[in-house]
Amino acid sequence: MDAEVIDNIDKRCFELDLPDGSTAAAFYRVDDEGRLVLIHTEVPAEFWGMGIASQLADGAVHLMRQSGRKAVLRCQFMVNFFGRHPEYADVVAG
């Protein structure tokens, strides 16, 4: 899949458009220090097990690096993802 992850600031989530027109999303809130608190990752059930959430997380890391933002991990998927990818530790704030 060649879709690009975008930061939907209005909805406070990173989004990845899927081939069937649905969207995978990683939701966040912004804390008092401007960090993105990653709170929930959602992938439509028909796309589970296809690496969509990981593609979404990769894109979110890329966008956070570009903007200089840091993440606080509160979503269990993101905790596990960042645990498997120590090369992304530079965007984790706590």
Side-chain angles (χ1 to χ4, degrees):
M1 183 170 21
D2 295 328
E4 180 180 335
V5 174
I6 63 161
D7 185 2
N8 185 332
I9 296 168
D10 293 335
K11 291 184 181 178
R12 293 192 177 177
C13 65
F14 294 102
E15 295 181 333
L16 177 62
D17 289 334
L18 301 173
D20 71 346
S22 64
T23 302
F27 295 90
Y28 61 82
R29 66 177 174 80
V30 181
D31 70 9
D32 293 339
E33 297 176 40
R35 301 177 302 184
L36 303 184
V37 182
L38 300 174
I39 54 176
H40 180 65
T41 301
E42 199 170 281
V43 174
E46 58 270 22
F47 291 96
W48 290 357
M50 301 174 77
I52 300 298
S54 293
Q55 184 178 349
L56 178 61
D58 282 329
V61 167
H62 176 74
L63 292 170
M64 285 185 279
R65 282 179 172 163
Q66 279 186 326
S67 65
R69 295 176 294 176
K70 299 286 185 179
V72 177
L73 309 177
R74 296 291 178 260
C75 166
Q76 191 58 52
F77 171 79
M78 290 296 185
V79 169
N80 295 338
F81 177 83
F82 279 87
R84 290 189 311 271
H85 294 279
E87 67 273 22
Y88 295 153
D90 60 299
V91 300
V92 178

